[in-house]
């Protein structure tokens, strides 16, 4: 009876240990996955910051080109007007 009880206890302890080992492995894998995701998140935040900076730079460039275009159109209209005046 004692031997059967000891074997039963050893079997139960063995099962508990297997479950603990399995949970420890799962926890380790989840922690590794979390670290990987945090690194990816940091990388993406950095890339987003760069993209936002590039966007601001390009918007400034667009405004500058729009001003240049408006100025060139004004010069063009003036030259067309002068040409019309000379033709008359």
């Amino acid at each position: 009876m004692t031997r059967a009880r000891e074997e039963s206890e050893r079997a139960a302890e063995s099962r508990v240990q297997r479950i603990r080992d399995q949970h420890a492995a799962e926890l380790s894998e989840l922690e590794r996955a979390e670290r990987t995701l945090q690194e990816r998140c940091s990388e993406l935040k950095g890339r987003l910051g760069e993209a936002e900076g590039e966007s601001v730079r390009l918007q400034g460039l667009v405004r500058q080109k729009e001003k240049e275009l408006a100025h060139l159109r004004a010069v063009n209209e003036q030259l067309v007007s002068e040409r019309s005046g000379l033709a008359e």
Side-chain angles (χ1 to χ4, degrees):
M1 193 71 156
T2 304
R3 186 181 301 158
R5 190 180 76 213
E6 288 174 355
E7 287 179 17
S8 176
E9 287 176 0
R10 272 182 279 176
E13 287 176 14
S14 177
R15 274 185 256 127
V16 168
Q17 188 60 44
R18 277 196 312 271
I19 290 171
R20 282 184 182 153
D21 291 345
Q22 186 179 21
H23 284 196
E26 288 175 1
L27 180 60
S28 176
E29 179 62 31
L30 288 172
E31 288 172 344
R32 190 170 32 256
E34 180 184 18
R35 280 192 302 275
T36 301
L37 289 173
Q38 286 176 343
E39 290 171 3
R40 179 77 172 136
C41 183
S42 295
E43 176 190 335
L44 290 174
K45 282 181 182 178
R47 288 176 54 194
L48 176 61
E50 291 173 7
E52 287 174 342
E54 181 69 4
S55 174
V56 167
R57 185 186 75 78
L58 290 173
Q59 287 173 356
L61 188 59
V62 165
R63 282 191 296 275
Q64 177 186 350
K65 295 298 180 184
E66 286 173 343
K67 287 178 184 177
E68 288 177 18
L69 180 61
H71 174 71
L72 291 173
R73 284 183 175 156
V75 168
N76 186 37
E77 288 177 21
Q78 181 183 1
L79 292 174
V80 167
S81 175
E82 288 176 6
R83 187 177 68 186
S84 294
L86 290 175
E88 291 177 3

